[in-house]
Amino acid sequence: MKPLLGISRLIDVVTEKIGKAVSWLILVAVLVSAGNAVVRKAFNVSSNAWLEAQWYLFGGAFMLAAAYTLSQNEHIRIDVVYGMFSRRVQHWIDLFGHVFFLMPFVLLMLYYFVPYVRMSYVSGEVSSSAGGLIIWPAKAILLAGFILLALQGVSEIIKKIAIMTGNMDDPTPYVPTHAPLEDAVVPEVRQ
């Protein structure tokens, strides 16, 4: 199990570095958007390339940070139900979800994206908008995002198995649960 945990740690480090680095793409996208708006209003000049650059930047941030989000256990889930179970059951739910939902979906996306990106690159596909950008880098970002997500999925599966078999301490031994309705503080309604 130790070699697998070493691989998991390596994947986590790579995912974290990429996830934190691409967070700056949001700032760049905002600056490009603001600059494009100012130039359009002040000089009555616009460019489809700048609009598409915004999409590329936002898409890159979203796709390349998805694996980091998974590593931080921040993906959306139904916490109302999940939080009602013991931590051991939560680990089983996570493992089941990773193995039977996340990994098949990610592997299917990789299966379809590899030829999709290759064909776009080989053909030199360009945007259908006048003055638009080349398309294959955006498609390559999607592919890279799914590769990272697949690797992080493997890392998460390794960690869940290690936790459940006692080979690793649970990094989040307590997941907050929602208070039952009878314990919740309900403000008094005046009539």
Side-chain angles (χ1 to χ4, degrees):
M1 193 72 190
K2 286 187 187 276
L4 291 176
L5 285 171
I7 291 169
S8 175
R9 279 190 295 277
L10 177 63
I11 293 170
D12 289 348
V13 167
V14 169
T15 298
E16 182 177 2
K17 287 186 184 300
I18 292 172
K20 288 182 176 180
V22 300
S23 67
W24 287 99
L25 293 179
I26 298 296
L27 175 62
V28 176
V30 168
L31 294 174
V32 167
S33 177
N36 191 29
V38 168
V39 169
R40 187 175 64 243
K41 295 293 182 188
F43 304 108
N44 200 25
V45 175
S46 185
S47 167
N48 285 331
W50 286 109
L51 293 172
E52 290 180 10
Q54 289 171 235
W55 301 338
Y56 284 20
L57 291 165
F58 181 75
F62 180 82
M63 285 304 299
L64 298 174
Y68 177 63
T69 304
L70 179 62
S71 75
Q72 299 301 304
N73 198 25
E74 293 294 329
H75 278 278
I76 296 171
R77 63 165 49 102
I78 304 172
D79 286 334
V80 174
V81 174
Y82 182 83
M84 292 187 324
F85 296 109
S86 70
R87 193 67 183 122
R88 179 155 180 82
V89 172
Q90 290 175 348
H91 288 305
W92 277 106
I93 291 169
D94 289 340
L95 182 62
F96 182 84
H98 293 328
V99 170
F100 293 105
F101 293 105
L102 174 68
M103 293 309 291
F105 172 72
V106 170
L107 294 174
L108 182 68
M109 295 307 292
L110 289 175
Y111 175 79
Y112 284 111
F113 265 113
V114 170
Y116 180 68
V117 172
R118 187 174 50 79
M119 186 172 51
S120 181
Y121 176 75
V122 169
S123 70
E125 186 178 7
V126 179
S127 171
S128 59
S129 300
L133 299 175
I134 54 176
I135 299 291
W136 69 263
K139 292 180 178 181
I141 288 170
L142 291 170
L143 177 60
F146 279 110
I147 290 170
L148 288 172
L149 198 53
L151 290 171
Q152 190 61 46
V154 169
S155 174
E156 295 303 311
I157 290 168
I158 291 169
K159 289 186 286 192
K160 286 297 172 190
I161 292 170
I163 290 167
M164 293 165 62
T165 58
N167 290 305
M168 177 181 164
D169 291 332
D170 187 353
T172 53
Y174 172 74
V175 174
T177 59
H178 296 282
L181 188 56
E182 61 269 4
D183 294 344
V185 177
V186 180
E188 189 175 312
V189 179
R190 289 186 175 170
Q191 293 183 5

